[in-house]
Amino acid sequence: MPYNGAQIDVLSTNVLTHPDTEFAPRPELDYPFKLGWHPQPGQPFEVADGVFWVRVPMPIALDHINLWLLRDGDGWVIVDSGFDAPMCKEVWETVFREFCSPEDVHRIIVTHFHPDHIGLASWLAAKCDCRVWMTRGEFEHYRQMLERDSEQHIEEALELVTEMGFDQYYKDLYVGFFGDDDKPPETRVQREVVEHFTEQDTFSIDGHQWRVVMGNGHSPEHACLLCEDKNVLISGDQALPRISSNVSVYVSNKNQDPLADWLASCDKLKREVAPDTLVLPSHQEPFVGIVARMEQLIY
């Protein structure tokens, strides 16, 4: 039964800042599996026919991510991979030991390039001997970040925050994000294992069509996956129940308007996804009420 009386908090500008702050009740959203409930790590839970929720802890302020396993005939499709950290790998090892075999995974779909979504994609692709699918815009941005000149980028970031009037504390905090990446290159997703898809492309999974609905603003070409047969949307970070996506200005998008792009994407989801669709977000709990939630964020 849907959970009524859900506690919904107000718009946060950053999902890493206040992931679980609760405010006054807003009755527009329902939580079919109860507000605050989640499966234990390594124990996939079926939320719709052939759609399984895998909850994975993370060693950062936003302390979890929801990943998804889709049954595909006699095999599986993974949606998002988790953060590149031992605790996240341990969850996948449990899944592969107790639920399904890595040899049965047909493909890995990555919604966007952020490290909690793509971090273990290379490791999983090698373990499962399969391809990684993501939009070209997300992958090219990911590779550009890995291949850029770090010292030059730090200089450009410092120029940007100086122009914006940041004090020294926030300059140091912001520029600190752009230091050298010390992870071995082989842990990163390589071009030779990647396949691309784009807006309105469809994946046929277990005889059902999953359509790509793309969003912008949180990341360049964020992919949501909509299965109208199952009445399910895998929303990634584009639609979250009680926090908003992180919409930020970086050196790479300083001449763009990411907030306008993100708000337009919210309006797009409001128009393209049926109100009674079960939304599977990357953080917090599955919910019903996409139209109401997008209106909360837009207005």
PDB file of all heavy atoms in Angstrom, residues 86-108:
ATOM      1  N   PRO A  86      35.727   0.409  -1.656  1.00  0.00           N
ATOM      2  CA  PRO A  86      35.600  -0.992  -1.232  1.00  0.00           C
ATOM      3  C   PRO A  86      34.205  -1.355  -0.740  1.00  0.00           C
ATOM      4  O   PRO A  86      33.705  -2.444  -1.035  1.00  0.00           O
ATOM      5  CB  PRO A  86      36.643  -1.109  -0.120  1.00  0.00           C
ATOM      6  CG  PRO A  86      37.685  -0.092  -0.478  1.00  0.00           C
ATOM      7  CD  PRO A  86      36.916   1.058  -1.061  1.00  0.00           C
ATOM      8  N   MET A  87      33.539  -0.469   0.018  1.00  0.00           N
ATOM      9  CA  MET A  87      32.227  -0.814   0.553  1.00  0.00           C
ATOM     10  C   MET A  87      31.205  -1.022  -0.563  1.00  0.00           C
ATOM     11  O   MET A  87      30.278  -1.821  -0.426  1.00  0.00           O
ATOM     12  CB  MET A  87      31.731   0.246   1.546  1.00  0.00           C
ATOM     13  CG  MET A  87      31.526   1.619   0.949  1.00  0.00           C
ATOM     14  SD  MET A  87      30.614   2.761   2.061  1.00  0.00           S
ATOM     15  CE  MET A  87      31.460   2.559   3.611  1.00  0.00           C
ATOM     16  N   CYS A  88      31.374  -0.307  -1.682  1.00  0.00           N
ATOM     17  CA  CYS A  88      30.462  -0.469  -2.808  1.00  0.00           C
ATOM     18  C   CYS A  88      30.755  -1.760  -3.563  1.00  0.00           C
ATOM     19  O   CYS A  88      29.825  -2.473  -3.980  1.00  0.00           O
ATOM     20  CB  CYS A  88      30.568   0.731  -3.740  1.00  0.00           C
ATOM     21  SG  CYS A  88      30.220   2.315  -2.941  1.00  0.00           S
ATOM     22  N   LYS A  89      32.033  -2.072  -3.743  1.00  0.00           N
ATOM     23  CA  LYS A  89      32.393  -3.340  -4.379  1.00  0.00           C
ATOM     24  C   LYS A  89      31.877  -4.529  -3.558  1.00  0.00           C
ATOM     25  O   LYS A  89      31.430  -5.538  -4.126  1.00  0.00           O
ATOM     26  CB  LYS A  89      33.909  -3.443  -4.535  1.00  0.00           C
ATOM     27  CG  LYS A  89      34.492  -2.543  -5.614  1.00  0.00           C
ATOM     28  CD  LYS A  89      35.985  -2.778  -5.749  1.00  0.00           C
ATOM     29  CE  LYS A  89      36.580  -1.909  -6.861  1.00  0.00           C
ATOM     30  NZ  LYS A  89      38.040  -2.120  -7.001  1.00  0.00           N
ATOM     31  N   GLU A  90      31.920  -4.409  -2.249  1.00  0.00           N
ATOM     32  CA  GLU A  90      31.464  -5.504  -1.389  1.00  0.00           C
ATOM     33  C   GLU A  90      29.986  -5.808  -1.630  1.00  0.00           C
ATOM     34  O   GLU A  90      29.566  -6.970  -1.614  1.00  0.00           O
ATOM     35  CB  GLU A  90      31.695  -5.152   0.077  1.00  0.00           C
ATOM     36  CG  GLU A  90      33.159  -5.206   0.498  1.00  0.00           C
ATOM     37  CD  GLU A  90      33.380  -4.691   1.904  1.00  0.00           C
ATOM     38  OE1 GLU A  90      32.365  -4.471   2.621  1.00  0.00           O
ATOM     39  OE2 GLU A  90      34.548  -4.505   2.301  1.00  0.00           O
ATOM     40  N   VAL A  91      29.187  -4.759  -1.855  1.00  0.00           N
ATOM     41  CA  VAL A  91      27.764  -4.975  -2.121  1.00  0.00           C
ATOM     42  C   VAL A  91      27.587  -5.760  -3.415  1.00  0.00           C
ATOM     43  O   VAL A  91      26.816  -6.729  -3.485  1.00  0.00           O
ATOM     44  CB  VAL A  91      27.009  -3.640  -2.176  1.00  0.00           C
ATOM     45  CG1 VAL A  91      25.573  -3.859  -2.660  1.00  0.00           C
ATOM     46  CG2 VAL A  91      26.997  -2.976  -0.807  1.00  0.00           C
ATOM     47  N   TRP A  92      28.307  -5.351  -4.468  1.00  0.00           N
ATOM     48  CA  TRP A  92      28.201  -6.078  -5.734  1.00  0.00           C
ATOM     49  C   TRP A  92      28.682  -7.518  -5.595  1.00  0.00           C
ATOM     50  O   TRP A  92      28.095  -8.438  -6.189  1.00  0.00           O
ATOM     51  CB  TRP A  92      28.974  -5.356  -6.832  1.00  0.00           C
ATOM     52  CG  TRP A  92      28.219  -4.228  -7.451  1.00  0.00           C
ATOM     53  CD1 TRP A  92      28.552  -2.908  -7.474  1.00  0.00           C
ATOM     54  CD2 TRP A  92      26.978  -4.324  -8.162  1.00  0.00           C
ATOM     55  NE1 TRP A  92      27.610  -2.165  -8.139  1.00  0.00           N
ATOM     56  CE2 TRP A  92      26.630  -3.009  -8.566  1.00  0.00           C
ATOM     57  CE3 TRP A  92      26.132  -5.380  -8.478  1.00  0.00           C
ATOM     58  CZ2 TRP A  92      25.467  -2.736  -9.297  1.00  0.00           C
ATOM     59  CZ3 TRP A  92      24.963  -5.110  -9.193  1.00  0.00           C
ATOM     60  CH2 TRP A  92      24.644  -3.813  -9.591  1.00  0.00           C
ATOM     61  N   GLU A  93      29.724  -7.740  -4.830  1.00  0.00           N
ATOM     62  CA  GLU A  93      30.199  -9.106  -4.631  1.00  0.00           C
ATOM     63  C   GLU A  93      29.126  -9.963  -3.960  1.00  0.00           C
ATOM     64  O   GLU A  93      28.940 -11.140  -4.304  1.00  0.00           O
ATOM     65  CB  GLU A  93      31.482  -9.108  -3.794  1.00  0.00           C
ATOM     66  CG  GLU A  93      32.685  -8.452  -4.459  1.00  0.00           C
ATOM     67  CD  GLU A  93      33.269  -9.259  -5.616  1.00  0.00           C
ATOM     68  OE1 GLU A  93      32.665 -10.278  -6.026  1.00  0.00           O
ATOM     69  OE2 GLU A  93      34.348  -8.863  -6.111  1.00  0.00           O
ATOM     70  N   THR A  94      28.411  -9.368  -3.015  1.00  0.00           N
ATOM     71  CA  THR A  94      27.309 -10.084  -2.369  1.00  0.00           C
ATOM     72  C   THR A  94      26.201 -10.387  -3.359  1.00  0.00           C
ATOM     73  O   THR A  94      25.656 -11.501  -3.388  1.00  0.00           O
ATOM     74  CB  THR A  94      26.760  -9.265  -1.185  1.00  0.00           C
ATOM     75  OG1 THR A  94      27.799  -9.043  -0.233  1.00  0.00           O
ATOM     76  CG2 THR A  94      25.602  -9.994  -0.506  1.00  0.00           C
ATOM     77  N   VAL A  95      25.844  -9.399  -4.187  1.00  0.00           N
ATOM     78  CA  VAL A  95      24.808  -9.600  -5.207  1.00  0.00           C
ATOM     79  C   VAL A  95      25.210 -10.747  -6.143  1.00  0.00           C
ATOM     80  O   VAL A  95      24.402 -11.632  -6.451  1.00  0.00           O
ATOM     81  CB  VAL A  95      24.562  -8.299  -6.002  1.00  0.00           C
ATOM     82  CG1 VAL A  95      23.690  -8.568  -7.223  1.00  0.00           C
ATOM     83  CG2 VAL A  95      23.908  -7.240  -5.110  1.00  0.00           C
ATOM     84  N   PHE A  96      26.461 -10.737  -6.584  1.00  0.00           N
ATOM     85  CA  PHE A  96      26.910 -11.764  -7.523  1.00  0.00           C
ATOM     86  C   PHE A  96      27.043 -13.140  -6.865  1.00  0.00           C
ATOM     87  O   PHE A  96      26.944 -14.168  -7.530  1.00  0.00           O
ATOM     88  CB  PHE A  96      28.240 -11.343  -8.148  1.00  0.00           C
ATOM     89  CG  PHE A  96      28.131 -10.168  -9.076  1.00  0.00           C
ATOM     90  CD1 PHE A  96      29.133  -9.207  -9.115  1.00  0.00           C
ATOM     91  CD2 PHE A  96      27.028 -10.005  -9.899  1.00  0.00           C
ATOM     92  CE1 PHE A  96      29.045  -8.121  -9.974  1.00  0.00           C
ATOM     93  CE2 PHE A  96      26.921  -8.927 -10.756  1.00  0.00           C
ATOM     94  CZ  PHE A  96      27.928  -7.983 -10.800  1.00  0.00           C
ATOM     95  N   ARG A  97      27.258 -13.161  -5.595  1.00  0.00           N
ATOM     96  CA  ARG A  97      27.376 -14.434  -4.884  1.00  0.00           C
ATOM     97  C   ARG A  97      26.004 -15.023  -4.550  1.00  0.00           C
ATOM     98  O   ARG A  97      25.812 -16.247  -4.606  1.00  0.00           O
ATOM     99  CB  ARG A  97      28.188 -14.223  -3.596  1.00  0.00           C
ATOM    100  CG  ARG A  97      28.474 -15.515  -2.829  1.00  0.00           C
ATOM    101  CD  ARG A  97      29.435 -15.262  -1.676  1.00  0.00           C
ATOM    102  NE  ARG A  97      28.938 -14.290  -0.715  1.00  0.00           N
ATOM    103  CZ  ARG A  97      29.414 -13.046  -0.573  1.00  0.00           C
ATOM    104  NH1 ARG A  97      30.409 -12.624  -1.332  1.00  0.00           N
ATOM    105  NH2 ARG A  97      28.901 -12.236   0.331  1.00  0.00           N
ATOM    106  N   GLU A  98      25.025 -14.145  -4.226  1.00  0.00           N
ATOM    107  CA  GLU A  98      23.765 -14.634  -3.681  1.00  0.00           C
ATOM    108  C   GLU A  98      22.554 -14.429  -4.589  1.00  0.00           C
ATOM    109  O   GLU A  98      21.499 -15.047  -4.353  1.00  0.00           O
ATOM    110  CB  GLU A  98      23.493 -13.953  -2.331  1.00  0.00           C
ATOM    111  CG  GLU A  98      24.577 -14.217  -1.291  1.00  0.00           C
ATOM    112  CD  GLU A  98      24.303 -13.520   0.034  1.00  0.00           C
ATOM    113  OE1 GLU A  98      23.247 -12.843   0.139  1.00  0.00           O
ATOM    114  OE2 GLU A  98      25.134 -13.645   0.949  1.00  0.00           O
ATOM    115  N   PHE A  99      22.679 -13.579  -5.634  1.00  0.00           N
ATOM    116  CA  PHE A  99      21.483 -13.242  -6.410  1.00  0.00           C
ATOM    117  C   PHE A  99      21.619 -13.579  -7.893  1.00  0.00           C
ATOM    118  O   PHE A  99      20.731 -14.199  -8.475  1.00  0.00           O
ATOM    119  CB  PHE A  99      21.166 -11.750  -6.239  1.00  0.00           C
ATOM    120  CG  PHE A  99      19.892 -11.329  -6.920  1.00  0.00           C
ATOM    121  CD1 PHE A  99      18.660 -11.591  -6.341  1.00  0.00           C
ATOM    122  CD2 PHE A  99      19.921 -10.655  -8.137  1.00  0.00           C
ATOM    123  CE1 PHE A  99      17.480 -11.212  -6.975  1.00  0.00           C
ATOM    124  CE2 PHE A  99      18.754 -10.264  -8.767  1.00  0.00           C
ATOM    125  CZ  PHE A  99      17.530 -10.542  -8.187  1.00  0.00           C
ATOM    126  N   CYS A 100      22.691 -13.148  -8.529  1.00  0.00           N
ATOM    127  CA  CYS A 100      22.883 -13.411  -9.951  1.00  0.00           C
ATOM    128  C   CYS A 100      24.375 -13.520 -10.239  1.00  0.00           C
ATOM    129  O   CYS A 100      25.208 -13.070  -9.452  1.00  0.00           O
ATOM    130  CB  CYS A 100      22.244 -12.327 -10.825  1.00  0.00           C
ATOM    131  SG  CYS A 100      23.007 -10.694 -10.686  1.00  0.00           S
ATOM    132  N   SER A 101      24.690 -14.106 -11.375  1.00  0.00           N
ATOM    133  CA  SER A 101      26.089 -14.291 -11.752  1.00  0.00           C
ATOM    134  C   SER A 101      26.549 -13.144 -12.637  1.00  0.00           C
ATOM    135  O   SER A 101      25.789 -12.673 -13.496  1.00  0.00           O
ATOM    136  CB  SER A 101      26.247 -15.607 -12.505  1.00  0.00           C
ATOM    137  OG  SER A 101      27.539 -15.710 -13.081  1.00  0.00           O
ATOM    138  N   PRO A 102      27.787 -12.668 -12.472  1.00  0.00           N
ATOM    139  CA  PRO A 102      28.274 -11.597 -13.355  1.00  0.00           C
ATOM    140  C   PRO A 102      28.276 -12.015 -14.823  1.00  0.00           C
ATOM    141  O   PRO A 102      28.112 -11.167 -15.708  1.00  0.00           O
ATOM    142  CB  PRO A 102      29.689 -11.317 -12.840  1.00  0.00           C
ATOM    143  CG  PRO A 102      30.062 -12.494 -12.007  1.00  0.00           C
ATOM    144  CD  PRO A 102      28.788 -13.045 -11.465  1.00  0.00           C
ATOM    145  N   GLU A 103      28.427 -13.301 -15.108  1.00  0.00           N
ATOM    146  CA  GLU A 103      28.406 -13.772 -16.491  1.00  0.00           C
ATOM    147  C   GLU A 103      27.047 -13.590 -17.150  1.00  0.00           C
ATOM    148  O   GLU A 103      26.930 -13.631 -18.380  1.00  0.00           O
ATOM    149  CB  GLU A 103      28.802 -15.253 -16.550  1.00  0.00           C
ATOM    150  CG  GLU A 103      30.253 -15.535 -16.200  1.00  0.00           C
ATOM    151  CD  GLU A 103      30.517 -15.549 -14.703  1.00  0.00           C
ATOM    152  OE1 GLU A 103      29.539 -15.619 -13.924  1.00  0.00           O
ATOM    153  OE2 GLU A 103      31.696 -15.485 -14.301  1.00  0.00           O
ATOM    154  N   ASP A 104      26.008 -13.388 -16.340  1.00  0.00           N
ATOM    155  CA  ASP A 104      24.656 -13.229 -16.872  1.00  0.00           C
ATOM    156  C   ASP A 104      24.272 -11.775 -17.109  1.00  0.00           C
ATOM    157  O   ASP A 104      23.139 -11.491 -17.513  1.00  0.00           O
ATOM    158  CB  ASP A 104      23.641 -13.875 -15.928  1.00  0.00           C
ATOM    159  CG  ASP A 104      23.813 -15.389 -15.857  1.00  0.00           C
ATOM    160  OD1 ASP A 104      24.275 -15.978 -16.850  1.00  0.00           O
ATOM    161  OD2 ASP A 104      23.489 -15.969 -14.797  1.00  0.00           O
ATOM    162  N   VAL A 105      25.171 -10.838 -16.825  1.00  0.00           N
ATOM    163  CA  VAL A 105      24.884  -9.411 -17.053  1.00  0.00           C
ATOM    164  C   VAL A 105      25.134  -9.095 -18.523  1.00  0.00           C
ATOM    165  O   VAL A 105      26.232  -9.299 -19.040  1.00  0.00           O
ATOM    166  CB  VAL A 105      25.760  -8.526 -16.143  1.00  0.00           C
ATOM    167  CG1 VAL A 105      25.549  -7.047 -16.474  1.00  0.00           C
ATOM    168  CG2 VAL A 105      25.436  -8.792 -14.673  1.00  0.00           C
ATOM    169  N   HIS A 106      24.110  -8.590 -19.202  1.00  0.00           N
ATOM    170  CA  HIS A 106      24.186  -8.321 -20.638  1.00  0.00           C
ATOM    171  C   HIS A 106      24.787  -6.961 -20.958  1.00  0.00           C
ATOM    172  O   HIS A 106      25.439  -6.792 -21.984  1.00  0.00           O
ATOM    173  CB  HIS A 106      22.785  -8.402 -21.256  1.00  0.00           C
ATOM    174  CG  HIS A 106      22.191  -9.770 -21.190  1.00  0.00           C
ATOM    175  ND1 HIS A 106      20.842  -9.997 -21.373  1.00  0.00           N
ATOM    176  CD2 HIS A 106      22.758 -10.987 -20.955  1.00  0.00           C
ATOM    177  CE1 HIS A 106      20.595 -11.290 -21.271  1.00  0.00           C
ATOM    178  NE2 HIS A 106      21.738 -11.917 -21.000  1.00  0.00           N
ATOM    179  N   ARG A 107      24.517  -5.963 -20.112  1.00  0.00           N
ATOM    180  CA  ARG A 107      25.048  -4.624 -20.364  1.00  0.00           C
ATOM    181  C   ARG A 107      24.935  -3.791 -19.098  1.00  0.00           C
ATOM    182  O   ARG A 107      24.182  -4.130 -18.176  1.00  0.00           O
ATOM    183  CB  ARG A 107      24.309  -3.930 -21.510  1.00  0.00           C
ATOM    184  CG  ARG A 107      22.883  -3.546 -21.197  1.00  0.00           C
ATOM    185  CD  ARG A 107      22.174  -2.888 -22.373  1.00  0.00           C
ATOM    186  NE  ARG A 107      21.862  -3.841 -23.429  1.00  0.00           N
ATOM    187  CZ  ARG A 107      21.197  -3.521 -24.530  1.00  0.00           C
ATOM    188  NH1 ARG A 107      20.794  -2.273 -24.721  1.00  0.00           N
ATOM    189  NH2 ARG A 107      20.915  -4.433 -25.437  1.00  0.00           N
ATOM    190  N   ILE A 108      25.687  -2.703 -19.063  1.00  0.00           N
ATOM    191  CA  ILE A 108      25.637  -1.722 -17.974  1.00  0.00           C
ATOM    192  C   ILE A 108      25.222  -0.391 -18.590  1.00  0.00           C
ATOM    193  O   ILE A 108      25.853   0.078 -19.548  1.00  0.00           O
ATOM    194  CB  ILE A 108      27.005  -1.583 -17.289  1.00  0.00           C
ATOM    195  CG1 ILE A 108      27.446  -2.924 -16.681  1.00  0.00           C
ATOM    196  CG2 ILE A 108      26.975  -0.494 -16.218  1.00  0.00           C
ATOM    197  CD1 ILE A 108      28.936  -3.016 -16.453  1.00  0.00           C
TER     198      ILE A 108
END
